[in-house]
Amino acid sequence: MRVVLLGAPGAGKGTHCKKIVGRYGLLHLSSGDILRRERAEGSDLGKKAQGYMDAGTLVPDDLIVEMMSKAVKGAPDGGFVLDGFPRTVHQAEALDRSLAKDGSGIDVVVNLQVGDEIVVDRITGRRSCPKCGAVYHVKNMPPKQEGVCDHDGAALVQRPDDTADVVKNRLATYYEQTEPVVEYYKARRDVRDVPADGDADAVAAVLFEELDALR
Ligand code: AP5
Ligand code: ZN
């Protein structure tokens, strides 16, 4: 199964991708996670991306399309779930073209819908583990011990782009450049809208219903 998971910053794409991977055994391809890895390694791509990411604007399409095409090509036959990509209509067109070359395509597009106030609360409260990548929220999904990862005891950190100021830019960027991707897909296929304001288990239940129907 090849899934695209769309949604504003903080809609819960990463959180629910982990649940999807657990249930359906798909490969999780997160453009944001790949970029953060490139930055941590100090690669050319990482260096080029960092200014855009810290400001809450998009990394240029050509860099992203090349990076994600490689990731999609390397995915096993079992399929993948895309998180954070495509984020512009240009990226969506490039993805369709690249999959069509191999005679395949996207099986389902899911759109997590969430209000702006919830986005700000979720993003400013997010903490992640630099060691294992686990994601927490100070109120909604707190670790057992404040500031410490449940899995490995590492000190949790806040992403540099998770401040209230940068979130405003990320939301504006989303409405300007990424919401048109939802329309792009709606014009071509069925898009499953999933309300994502509720707690994570309730969101996952609706999401699984949609995806189970495709198996
Ligand atoms: P990226 O890392 O993709 O950030 P994003 O899209 O802004 O998404 P987030 O990771 O912030 O949120 P999420 O939806 O995964 O939410 P999460 O599950 O963590 O991109 C970062 C930057 O990289 C971009 O700004 C850009 O510069 C660049 N970039 C990436 N892809 C690009 C592309 N394709 N093109 C160009 N540039 C690109 O949840 C958030 C918090 O809420 C967590 O704390 C979680 O615990 C909590 N939570 C989640 N769901 C619930 C729930 N239902 N109830 C309560 N709490 C919840
Ligand atoms: Zn950890």
Side-chain angles (χ1 to χ4, degrees), residues 1-4 106-110 189-190 192 211 214:
M1 185 158 52
R2 290 171 296 266
V3 183
V4 170
I106 295 300
D107 296 307
V108 62
V109 177
V110 178
R189 63 175 68 245
D190 193 20
R192 315 296 168 100
L211 297 181
L214 297 168

Side-chain angles (χ1 to χ4, degrees), residues 39-206:
R39 284 181 68 165
E41 287 165 6
S43 73
D44 270 358
L45 172 58
K47 285 182 190 142
K48 283 180 191 155
Q50 65 190 23
Y52 300 101
M53 296 174 77
D54 290 348
T57 56
L58 295 185
V59 176
D61 279 340
D62 53 341
L63 296 176
I64 295 291
V65 167
E66 190 187 340
M67 175 184 96
M68 292 308 287
S69 301
K70 254 189 235 157
V72 166
K73 284 216 170 78
D77 289 343
F80 53 77
V81 51
L82 290 174
D83 162 6
F85 174 83
R87 227 181 179 93
T88 63
V89 170
H90 179 86
Q91 292 179 17
E93 288 168 345
L95 175 65
D96 276 348
R97 270 199 306 274
S98 136
L99 290 174
K101 259 191 223 156
D102 300 333
S104 73
I106 295 300
D107 296 307
V108 62
V109 177
V110 178
N111 182 33
L112 296 179
Q113 297 177 307
V114 69
D116 289 1
E117 267 174 38
I118 290 189
V119 163
V120 174
D121 175 72
R122 284 190 188 165
I123 287 199
T124 51
R126 171 169 50 196
R127 300 291 182 273
S128 26
C129 174
K131 209 165 168 186
C132 71
V135 173
Y136 301 87
H137 187 280
V138 289
K139 288 190 311 247
N140 305 343
M141 297 176 201
K144 291 191 188 88
Q145 189 189 337
E146 196 185 326
V148 177
C149 179
D150 291 347
H151 307 293
D152 48 35
L156 301 179
V157 295
Q158 188 172 21
R159 271 172 41 181
D161 59 342
D162 276 356
T163 61
D165 271 353
V166 180
V167 170
K168 274 187 216 144
N169 287 343
R170 287 164 63 192
L171 264 175
T173 303
Y174 170 79
Y175 286 118
E176 199 180 300
Q177 298 186 67
T178 306
E179 218 179 33
V181 175
V182 180
E183 299 314 315
Y184 170 88
Y185 281 124
K186 280 191 172 162
R188 286 162 181 78
R189 63 175 68 245
D190 193 20
V191 172
R192 315 296 168 100
D193 286 325
V194 170
D197 281 347
D199 77 64
D201 287 340
V203 176
V206 178

Side-chain angles (χ1 to χ4, degrees), residues 32-43:
D33 286 352
I34 298 175
L35 287 169
R36 280 183 286 278
R37 264 200 308 274
E38 295 280 343
R39 284 181 68 165
E41 287 165 6
S43 73

